[in-house]
Amino acid sequence: MTIREIRTEDLERCSDLYSRVFSGPPWSEAWNEANAYNRLNHFYRSEGFIGFLAEDEDVSGFVLGNLEPFLDGSWFYLREMCVDTKLQNQGVGTNLMSVLIDCLKLKDVKSIYLATEREIPAAAFYKKNGFIQEDKMEFYCRSVK
C-alpha cells in the first residue's frame, strides 16, 4: 500500500469510494459519485487543503481537511476520512492518520478537530487514535427549512 498526497486527478476515484462507503451501513446515506465529487472537490479547492490517499491497485482510503488559523497557530479540521469497507480494521485508516499527523507536525499545527456520530465504529477508531471527546465543547445543528 502506498500513501501519498491527494491530487486533482484522484478526486473521481475518491468520490467513487466515498459514495460506496457512505451509502452503506451504518450511514446508509443517499450518496452518488456526482454529489460526493462536489463535496470532496469543495474541500480540495478550499484554502489550507491537506489530504492523503492510500492505494494499491485502487483507492483503499483517504483522509482530508483544511488548516485553519487560530490564536496559537493553525488547527486542522478533519473533514472526511473514508476507508473501503472491505479493508476496515486492517490498519489503512491508522496508517493514513499517522501520515496526516506527521505532516501536521511539520507544519506546527496545534490540534486536529472533527465531528462524527457517537454510536458508529468511526468514533471508536478516533478514540483509538488518540482523539478525545471534548467535555467543554458541543456540536450544534439547526434546520433551515
Side-chain angles (χ1 to χ4, degrees):
M1 177 178 57
T2 303
I3 297 179
R4 61 172 175 78
E5 289 184 16
I6 293 174
R7 299 183 295 251
T8 304
E9 58 267 22
D10 299 319
L11 292 176
E12 286 185 19
R13 295 186 311 141
C14 289
S15 299
D16 174 60
L17 178 63
Y18 187 94
S19 64
R20 285 187 285 116
V21 169
F22 289 104
S23 292
W27 302 275
S28 301
E29 298 171 340
W31 288 100
N32 61 43
E33 286 184 54
N35 54 28
Y37 181 87
N38 286 339
R39 180 165 177 79
L40 300 180
N41 187 51
H42 169 79
F43 298 133
Y44 182 80
R45 300 214 179 280
S46 297
E47 188 172 345
F49 174 83
I50 296 175
F52 293 95
L53 167 79
E55 63 184 347
D56 279 319
E57 294 175 14
D58 204 0
V59 177
S60 304
F62 61 87
V63 60
L64 58 83
N66 300 85
L67 294 173
E68 297 181 352
F70 204 71
L71 292 172
D72 60 349
S74 293
W75 286 23
F76 184 77
Y77 187 3
L78 195 159
R79 297 305 304 246
E80 294 294 349
M81 183 159 194
C82 180
V83 173
D84 189 319
T85 306
K86 300 177 301 235
L87 301 174
Q88 291 177 7
N89 298 306
Q90 296 181 31
V92 175
T94 298
N95 288 335
L96 280 164
M97 187 64 67
S98 178
V99 170
L100 173 65
I101 289 170
D102 288 345
C103 171
L104 297 177
K105 285 178 183 177
L106 291 173
K107 295 180 180 299
D108 200 31
V109 173
K110 305 299 183 196
S111 297
I112 303 171
Y113 70 102
L114 61 92
T116 194
E117 294 180 40
R118 287 187 187 112
E119 303 301 321
I120 61 171
F125 167 81
Y126 290 121
K127 288 177 185 174
K128 181 185 88 169
N129 280 277
F131 288 79
I132 59 168
Q133 185 176 346
E134 183 63 54
D135 290 335
K136 62 183 178 181
M137 300 294 287
E138 291 194 30
F139 181 76
Y140 292 89
C141 184
R142 181 185 184 277
S143 175
V144 292
K145 291 182 180 181

